[in-house]
Amino acid sequence: FFGTKADASDLAASIESPVLVIHSQNDITVPLATARRLASLIPDAQFKIVEGYHAPWTPEVLAAISEFLAQEQPDTAGSVVE
């Protein structure tokens, strides 16, 4: 798991669902540049930097998720994922 060099960048561009990429500013496990790159590869992805370290479930993170989920999203009913 850690130390692997998985690369799914070719798949990121095909994501059609709304995406919020959240990254901790002090994360030493995943570099900030990697998270920024991921967000840039996903069409219309939103990117949020939060305080803390790797995977912090803080009120700031939960608020960002709640705000993201409350946004009006495009209607994808009936979409087929292959």
Side-chain angles (χ1 to χ4, degrees):
F1 184 74
F2 292 104
T4 61
K5 301 246 182 204
D7 184 356
S9 21
D10 57 329
L11 299 173
S14 67
I15 296 174
E16 296 178 4
S17 298
V19 172
L20 171 63
V21 176
I22 300 175
H23 191 74
S24 302
Q25 66 182 11
N26 299 315
D27 189 334
I28 59 172
T29 305
V30 178
L32 180 59
T34 301
R36 282 189 197 278
R37 181 168 183 268
L38 173 62
S40 74
L41 293 172
I42 300 171
D44 301 317
Q46 295 179 37
F47 183 63
K48 172 94 174 150
I49 299 173
V50 297
E51 302 265 338
Y53 298 89
H54 188 72
W57 288 102
T58 63
E60 181 184 14
V61 170
L62 298 177
I65 293 169
S66 292
E67 290 170 18
F68 175 75
L69 293 175
Q71 294 174 5
E72 188 171 323
Q73 303 296 339
D75 183 16
T76 57
S79 296
V80 177
V81 178
E82 296 181 27

